[in-house]
Amino acid sequence: MLQENIKAFRQAKGLSQEELAVRLHVVRQTISKWENGLSVPDSDLLIALSQALETPVSTLLGETADVPAADDVNALAEKLETINLHLARAKTARRKALHLFLLACCASLAAIAAVLFALHSPYLNWDFDDPEIAVAGTILHAFEWLFIRCAPFLFTGAAVGAFLTRKKS
């Protein structure tokens, strides 16, 4: 009975003799001997075996074990399909959010460039002699300097990202 139960529960868990042996820290031949009735596990290994197979020791020592029915496998397959569907939906939602964010970045960069162009931005022509506007001029000059140098790269990166994250039909 023990030999049949070990084999049945091992196969029901989808474990090979080698995988079970690794979990129990024994060699594969030991598992084979147990399943062929040539030897039996000692009490410590029997407890470890029951834990590895997630089965009570009494069940291992008792009557022939019931192998899970095909209905259980089908129910598990349906649960896995549902989980995969939820994961796919979450991935699609994240991709869509990233796509919208990248489009918003492109629009913001274009809007800032348009405002600077419309205001005839005094970039590099600011008069720093007037002390009342020197600080504001320095801040505006720093913003424009940074924007002029970074905006083309940011815009290109955001546009490429938006193109790559678009919904594919």
Side-chain angles (χ1 to χ4, degrees):
M1 286 184 228
L2 175 63
Q3 63 195 27
E4 294 144 1
N5 288 345
I6 292 173
K7 185 173 185 176
F9 279 107
R10 177 184 59 78
Q11 290 174 342
K13 288 286 181 192
L15 297 172
S16 66
Q17 287 182 346
E18 183 70 30
E19 292 168 333
L20 182 58
V22 168
R23 288 185 182 187
L24 298 175
H25 306 292
V26 296
V27 294
R28 185 202 55 80
Q29 289 80 359
T30 302
I31 305 297
S32 177
K33 286 181 181 179
W34 293 345
E35 290 181 357
N36 290 322
L38 300 176
S39 69
V40 293
D42 64 10
S43 60
D44 291 336
L45 281 175
L46 190 59
I47 292 170
L49 181 64
S50 73
Q51 290 172 347
L53 297 175
E54 298 174 358
T55 306
V57 173
S58 59
T59 304
L60 284 175
L61 296 173
E63 296 180 8
T64 304
D66 295 329
V67 178
D71 293 339
D72 294 341
V73 174
N74 288 339
L76 181 61
E78 288 177 13
K79 288 180 184 177
L80 287 174
E81 185 178 347
T82 303
I83 290 170
N84 283 337
L85 183 62
H86 288 300
L87 290 173
R89 286 181 182 159
K91 181 180 178 182
T92 302
R94 283 191 308 270
R95 183 193 46 76
K96 185 176 181 179
L98 178 61
H99 179 73
L100 293 175
F101 173 75
L102 292 170
L103 287 176
C105 287
C106 286
S108 299
L109 289 168
I112 292 171
V115 167
L116 290 175
F117 183 74
L119 294 176
H120 300 292
S121 176
Y123 182 66
L124 296 179
N125 295 324
W126 195 272
D127 181 16
F128 293 98
D129 294 334
D130 185 359
E132 292 183 10
I133 61 170
V135 173
T138 303
I139 292 171
L140 181 61
H141 181 73
F143 171 76
E144 290 175 332
W145 182 88
L146 188 64
F147 183 79
I148 295 298
R149 278 151 182 77
C150 296
F153 298 110
L154 294 174
F155 185 81
T156 303
V160 168
F163 177 76
L164 293 176
T165 59
R166 74 190 185 286
K167 185 176 181 179
K168 296 172 182 127
S169 302

